[in-house]
Amino acid sequence: MSPPAAEQPTEAEWAAAVSAITRLPADGRVLLICHVNPDGDALGSMLGFGLGLRRLGVRQLQATFPGRPEVPEPFRDIPGLDLLVPATEADPDPDLVICFDVAAVSRLGDLADRLDRAGAAIVLDHHASNTRFGGIHLVDPDAAATSVVVEKLLVRLGVPLDRGIAECLYIALATDTGSFRFDMTTPAVHEMAARLLATGIRPGEISRRIFDTRPFGAVRLYGDVLGRTQLEPLAAGGLGLVWTYATLDDLARHGQRPYTLEPLIDSVRCTAEADVSCVLKQVAEGEWAVSMRSKGPTDVSRVAVALGGGGHRLAAGFTGYGTAAEVVDAIRAELVRGAAESGNGPADLQDQD
Ligand code: 5GP
Ligand code: MN
């Protein structure tokens, strides 16, 4: 069954966003926020748009994200980093707040109060699970990345792409399309990539920096974590579940920071025998950041939303509480529920050729 056609931002929403920006007073204060534990799309979309606003002449401009003010090592050369301030130093009541890649208020942490205090709030996002918080919604669930929405808004604002903006948006687009491998890699995505590359940015150098460089300690850490991966062929209504977990002790033993674990899900999801893959990353005693992926049949966004998180059909996440075994129990139970509802039980599988 194909999903219902996703709702695109309306002309009125685009116009409201453009007007909220162009009508800012000369000394108007703008606060850009992306989600906690920012990935390439969150950071790249936010900083790329920030550089665009700077070109428009916006001077009172801050970019931030909730939680520890730590930029993951792979992003330490991304353009626009000088816009970034720790959440503790973010403007308490800006004239305009703009959120990037944030599907739910919970992903704004302590910065959520800015939504109420700001004069206006624009939400740029591409999550189907977006809860429609904030005032002006530019949410396009068909967009491969939030940066697709960012580029469209920059066009409407008359901001041309320069190398700095292009590098940010390229990092965002490459991150969320799995380096142009996922199904959402449409002709329009490649056309956007072509516009970005035409500015002269270097895709080989950017990809090496963002995706293909990690410390030796991370390689050894991956060995430990992948070594304890479990395969459960009967889970997820017979479609199979593969999962592993990484503890704070694992990180400490190899001298690694939590963001080092982000690419691990890509190694786990390769498992041919499982549709659903999960990596549980310990955040604190009894608290886990869970990444989930599906190859197609299972809607992991539904599972993540049921467990308090969100995301996309094929890539989603949530915060799990308890022991790793308890969190996986909860996932298994939700997968059984989902399989039952979609009629995707083992009996159905036997009927397939
Ligand atoms: P990742 O596994 O790469 O961290 O996240 C995959 C997708 O799930 C992303 O689109 C991300 O926004 C979403 N996601 C991950 N963790 C959470 C969470 O705790 N809450 C919500 N609402 N979404 C999440
Ligand atoms: Mn995204």
Side-chain angles (χ1 to χ4, degrees), residues 27-47:
D27 59 349
R29 301 200 313 269
V30 181
L31 180 64
L32 313 179
I33 314 177
C34 70
H35 64 71
V36 64
N37 300 326
D39 59 8
D41 189 27
L43 268 182
S45 294
M46 175 172 75
L47 297 178

mmCIF file of all heavy atoms in Angstrom, residues 27-47:
data_model
loop_
_atom_site.group_PDB
_atom_site.id
_atom_site.type_symbol
_atom_site.label_atom_id
_atom_site.label_comp_id
_atom_site.label_asym_id
_atom_site.label_seq_id
_atom_site.Cartn_x
_atom_site.Cartn_y
_atom_site.Cartn_z
ATOM 1 N N ASP A 27 17.709 45.871 13.321
ATOM 2 C CA ASP A 27 18.447 45.266 14.436
ATOM 3 C C ASP A 27 17.730 44.017 14.967
ATOM 4 O O ASP A 27 17.925 43.610 16.111
ATOM 5 C CB ASP A 27 18.630 46.297 15.559
ATOM 6 C CG ASP A 27 17.274 46.807 16.069
ATOM 7 O OD1 ASP A 27 16.244 46.505 15.406
ATOM 8 O OD2 ASP A 27 17.243 47.473 17.113
ATOM 9 N N GLY A 28 16.869 43.428 14.120
ATOM 10 C CA GLY A 28 16.101 42.250 14.537
ATOM 11 C C GLY A 28 17.013 41.094 14.938
ATOM 12 O O GLY A 28 18.017 40.835 14.284
ATOM 13 N N ARG A 29 16.631 40.404 16.019
ATOM 14 C CA ARG A 29 17.472 39.312 16.525
ATOM 15 C C ARG A 29 16.880 37.966 16.114
ATOM 16 O O ARG A 29 15.715 37.682 16.375
ATOM 17 C CB ARG A 29 17.597 39.418 18.046
ATOM 18 C CG ARG A 29 18.199 40.754 18.498
ATOM 19 C CD ARG A 29 18.741 40.656 19.894
ATOM 20 N NE ARG A 29 17.814 40.010 20.806
ATOM 21 C CZ ARG A 29 16.899 40.668 21.526
ATOM 22 N NH1 ARG A 29 16.792 41.980 21.437
ATOM 23 N NH2 ARG A 29 16.111 40.006 22.335
ATOM 24 N N VAL A 30 17.725 37.146 15.475
ATOM 25 C CA VAL A 30 17.273 35.857 14.958
ATOM 26 C C VAL A 30 18.044 34.738 15.657
ATOM 27 O O VAL A 30 19.266 34.793 15.776
ATOM 28 C CB VAL A 30 17.495 35.761 13.433
ATOM 29 C CG1 VAL A 30 16.998 34.418 12.905
ATOM 30 C CG2 VAL A 30 16.787 36.909 12.716
ATOM 31 N N LEU A 31 17.303 33.738 16.113
ATOM 32 C CA LEU A 31 17.913 32.567 16.743
ATOM 33 C C LEU A 31 17.589 31.322 15.915
ATOM 34 O O LEU A 31 16.425 31.002 15.695
ATOM 35 C CB LEU A 31 17.379 32.392 18.177
ATOM 36 C CG LEU A 31 17.941 31.189 18.951
ATOM 37 C CD1 LEU A 31 19.445 31.327 19.188
ATOM 38 C CD2 LEU A 31 17.205 31.028 20.285
ATOM 39 N N LEU A 32 18.633 30.652 15.437
ATOM 40 C CA LEU A 32 18.471 29.414 14.678
ATOM 41 C C LEU A 32 18.724 28.242 15.625
ATOM 42 O O LEU A 32 19.698 28.250 16.379
ATOM 43 C CB LEU A 32 19.477 29.360 13.525
ATOM 44 C CG LEU A 32 19.602 30.625 12.658
ATOM 45 C CD1 LEU A 32 20.664 30.422 11.579
ATOM 46 C CD2 LEU A 32 18.255 30.956 12.030
ATOM 47 N N ILE A 33 17.831 27.234 15.589
ATOM 48 C CA ILE A 33 17.995 26.074 16.487
ATOM 49 C C ILE A 33 17.840 24.786 15.675
ATOM 50 O O ILE A 33 16.902 24.654 14.883
ATOM 51 C CB ILE A 33 16.931 26.055 17.610
ATOM 52 C CG1 ILE A 33 16.758 27.433 18.257
ATOM 53 C CG2 ILE A 33 17.292 25.017 18.663
ATOM 54 C CD1 ILE A 33 15.666 27.478 19.336
ATOM 55 N N CYS A 34 18.760 23.850 15.867
ATOM 56 C CA CYS A 34 18.560 22.517 15.287
ATOM 57 C C CYS A 34 18.440 21.501 16.421
ATOM 58 O O CYS A 34 18.545 21.857 17.591
ATOM 59 C CB CYS A 34 19.661 22.151 14.302
ATOM 60 S SG CYS A 34 21.271 21.839 15.050
ATOM 61 N N HIS A 35 18.192 20.238 16.062
ATOM 62 C CA HIS A 35 17.875 19.254 17.107
ATOM 63 C C HIS A 35 19.098 18.834 17.926
ATOM 64 O O HIS A 35 20.235 18.966 17.504
ATOM 65 C CB HIS A 35 17.140 18.045 16.525
ATOM 66 C CG HIS A 35 17.927 17.218 15.542
ATOM 67 N ND1 HIS A 35 18.985 16.422 15.905
ATOM 68 C CD2 HIS A 35 17.782 17.061 14.210
ATOM 69 C CE1 HIS A 35 19.445 15.796 14.836
ATOM 70 N NE2 HIS A 35 18.739 16.177 13.790
ATOM 71 N N VAL A 36 18.795 18.318 19.110
ATOM 72 C CA VAL A 36 19.797 17.804 20.030
ATOM 73 C C VAL A 36 20.632 16.737 19.304
ATOM 74 O O VAL A 36 20.137 16.092 18.380
ATOM 75 C CB VAL A 36 19.064 17.234 21.281
ATOM 76 C CG1 VAL A 36 18.179 16.043 20.927
ATOM 77 C CG2 VAL A 36 20.029 16.885 22.388
ATOM 78 N N ASN A 37 21.871 16.584 19.687
ATOM 79 C CA ASN A 37 22.796 15.662 19.007
ATOM 80 C C ASN A 37 22.736 15.878 17.493
ATOM 81 O O ASN A 37 22.356 14.970 16.747
ATOM 82 C CB ASN A 37 22.462 14.190 19.298
ATOM 83 C CG ASN A 37 22.538 13.885 20.765
ATOM 84 O OD1 ASN A 37 23.358 14.458 21.479
ATOM 85 N ND2 ASN A 37 21.663 13.014 21.234
ATOM 86 N N PRO A 38 23.101 17.061 17.023
ATOM 87 C CA PRO A 38 22.879 17.378 15.606
ATOM 88 C C PRO A 38 23.659 16.457 14.668
ATOM 89 O O PRO A 38 24.794 16.086 14.952
ATOM 90 C CB PRO A 38 23.378 18.820 15.498
ATOM 91 C CG PRO A 38 24.286 19.035 16.657
ATOM 92 C CD PRO A 38 23.759 18.153 17.756
ATOM 93 N N ASP A 39 22.991 16.100 13.563
ATOM 94 C CA ASP A 39 23.647 15.327 12.506
ATOM 95 C C ASP A 39 23.970 16.272 11.359
ATOM 96 O O ASP A 39 23.811 17.497 11.479
ATOM 97 C CB ASP A 39 22.751 14.158 12.061
ATOM 98 C CG ASP A 39 21.398 14.636 11.547
ATOM 99 O OD1 ASP A 39 21.196 15.863 11.398
ATOM 100 O OD2 ASP A 39 20.535 13.781 11.287
ATOM 101 N N GLY A 40 24.399 15.722 10.231
ATOM 102 C CA GLY A 40 24.815 16.560 9.108
ATOM 103 C C GLY A 40 23.685 17.407 8.556
ATOM 104 O O GLY A 40 23.896 18.557 8.160
ATOM 105 N N ASP A 41 22.457 16.843 8.533
ATOM 106 C CA ASP A 41 21.331 17.621 7.996
ATOM 107 C C ASP A 41 20.970 18.757 8.943
ATOM 108 O O ASP A 41 20.722 19.887 8.507
ATOM 109 C CB ASP A 41 20.125 16.704 7.753
ATOM 110 C CG ASP A 41 18.997 17.414 6.997
ATOM 111 O OD1 ASP A 41 19.305 18.366 6.234
ATOM 112 O OD2 ASP A 41 17.831 17.037 7.161
ATOM 113 N N ALA A 42 20.942 18.465 10.243
ATOM 114 C CA ALA A 42 20.570 19.497 11.222
ATOM 115 C C ALA A 42 21.580 20.652 11.191
ATOM 116 O O ALA A 42 21.201 21.820 11.023
ATOM 117 C CB ALA A 42 20.495 18.884 12.618
ATOM 118 N N LEU A 43 22.852 20.320 11.336
ATOM 119 C CA LEU A 43 23.883 21.369 11.370
ATOM 120 C C LEU A 43 24.027 22.067 10.024
ATOM 121 O O LEU A 43 24.105 23.293 9.941
ATOM 122 C CB LEU A 43 25.239 20.756 11.734
ATOM 123 C CG LEU A 43 25.645 20.714 13.195
ATOM 124 C CD1 LEU A 43 27.032 20.103 13.305
ATOM 125 C CD2 LEU A 43 25.622 22.102 13.830
ATOM 126 N N GLY A 44 24.074 21.264 8.948
ATOM 127 C CA GLY A 44 24.281 21.826 7.615
ATOM 128 C C GLY A 44 23.129 22.731 7.200
ATOM 129 O O GLY A 44 23.341 23.815 6.639
ATOM 130 N N SER A 45 21.881 22.309 7.483
ATOM 131 C CA SER A 45 20.724 23.131 7.124
ATOM 132 C C SER A 45 20.732 24.430 7.915
ATOM 133 O O SER A 45 20.498 25.514 7.377
ATOM 134 C CB SER A 45 19.423 22.371 7.403
ATOM 135 O OG SER A 45 19.323 21.261 6.543
ATOM 136 N N MET A 46 21.005 24.317 9.225
ATOM 137 C CA MET A 46 20.976 25.505 10.088
ATOM 138 C C MET A 46 22.093 26.486 9.705
ATOM 139 O O MET A 46 21.827 27.693 9.532
ATOM 140 C CB MET A 46 21.126 25.074 11.551
ATOM 141 C CG MET A 46 21.240 26.231 12.525
ATOM 142 S SD MET A 46 21.193 25.697 14.238
ATOM 143 C CE MET A 46 22.833 25.001 14.432
ATOM 144 N N LEU A 47 23.310 25.996 9.573
ATOM 145 C CA LEU A 47 24.424 26.912 9.297
ATOM 146 C C LEU A 47 24.365 27.440 7.863
ATOM 147 O O LEU A 47 24.699 28.601 7.604
ATOM 148 C CB LEU A 47 25.762 26.216 9.572
ATOM 149 C CG LEU A 47 25.964 25.809 11.049
ATOM 150 C CD1 LEU A 47 27.290 25.091 11.237
ATOM 151 C CD2 LEU A 47 25.874 27.030 11.975
#
